[in-house]
Amino acid sequence: MRAHWLWVVCLIGSAGAADFKVLNDDAHYPEGPVWFQGKLYYVEYDRNTVTVWDGKSNRIFASQKGCGQSAVIATARGEFLTTCYDNGTIGRMAADGSQLPAYDHDRDGNKFVGPNDFAPDGHGGIYFTCSGTMGPVIDAKVFYIAPGGVITLAAADLHNANGAAVSKDGGTLYVIETEENRLLSFKIAAPGRLTERRIFLNMDELTHHVGHIWPDGVKIDSRGRLYIGQNPRDAHAPLVGKIFVVEASGKLLKTISLPSPGVPNLAFSPDEKTVYVTALDQLDQAPFRGKIYAVPND
């Protein structure tokens, strides 16, 4: 058992990022990035902004006081959406960043409690998570925005739903439950209709209980590999600053290591040769200073 434990530690510790670049060294709680039309868009929760990096510099693309942006995504209709964690809405922006009327409930009147992250389904629709009430309450949800803008409830009774991603074949939705330390999977029976909920991966079991992991965002590359970010509660805990790369079977393939303890979310360049990581250096108080990294990916 001890030899196996040492092998796991060796694997996790030896697969770090070699030549990362810092694209922004003064981001305030950066999260939820997306690559779109040659630019990297990401949110800064503490600044209430969507920021864009154009390959040379960072600038504010849009700002909405009181939103508490957690993620941003481009839609098939040419708009941008943000999850407004603080005010319980899905913010909407035109292509130029100007504000449009927000969504604040689904077609049945269900409100959004703690909107968190997006997952496009590849057909113009978008799933988004709502983390629900903080603490032991099991009231997190997943909603679906159809291409025409109609929002429906897709899943309920989750515990602190966070990152989400759709498999490349469009058949599976993965959802992180941060408080349960695990990644769930659902079969996508039809757009917005989820069935066969199961536990796909427990993060502590994945790392053989070397340290408790607080999973946050998840993205899937073209080979079906899942990249799982984390937002630890302790900057000195084991395995901080590591993104876990998992095969479709659930086996740990490698990690990407960065000097910032929190690495909650990420996005890929179009060729997937670069991973853009939103990172936190300051975990426990505002302004939650952090960085945006560009990391070579193999």
Side-chain angles (χ1 to χ4, degrees), residues 271-292:
D271 61 8
E272 298 183 353
K273 292 182 179 180
T274 302
V275 178
Y276 299 101
V277 180
T278 59
L280 299 176
D281 298 310
Q282 187 180 24
L283 300 177
D284 57 355
Q285 61 181 347
F288 304 101
R289 294 187 184 278
K291 297 180 177 69
I292 305 298

Side-chain angles (χ1 to χ4, degrees), residues 34 41-43 48-51 60-64 67 69 71-75 77-84 90-103 118:
V34 64
Y41 294 80
Y42 58 94
V43 304
N48 281 288
T49 63
V50 176
T51 304
I60 301 301
F61 172 71
S63 178
Q64 184 184 352
C67 168
Q69 291 87 335
V72 61
I73 195 170
T75 74
R77 295 187 293 175
E79 299 175 359
F80 288 88
L81 302 179
T82 57
T83 47
C84 292
I90 300 299
R92 297 172 57 217
M93 296 160 290
D96 63 358
S98 59
Q99 296 296 318
L100 299 172
Y103 299 125
F118 293 114

Side-chain angles (χ1 to χ4, degrees), residues 165-187:
V166 174
S167 62
K168 292 306 174 182
D169 63 6
T172 303
L173 175 71
Y174 296 94
V175 178
I176 283 178
E177 285 185 300
T178 297
E179 292 294 336
E180 297 293 338
N181 191 47
R182 66 192 184 189
L183 186 64
L184 301 179
S185 68
F186 297 85
K187 179 181 178 181

Side-chain angles (χ1 to χ4, degrees), residues 192-236:
R193 188 162 75 87
L194 304 178
T195 62
E196 299 182 23
R197 168 178 170 170
R198 71 181 184 90
I199 299 172
F200 174 76
L201 191 65
N202 179 285
M203 293 302 296
D204 283 348
E205 292 177 0
L206 179 74
T207 57
H208 291 254
H209 301 274
V210 172
H212 186 68
I213 307 299
W214 298 90
D216 196 309
V218 58
K219 294 295 189 294
I220 301 177
D221 69 12
S222 59
R223 289 182 277 182
R225 303 183 301 183
L226 294 94
Y227 291 61
I228 303 170
Q230 61 167 315
N231 195 0
R233 303 298 188 265
D234 180 1
H236 303 289

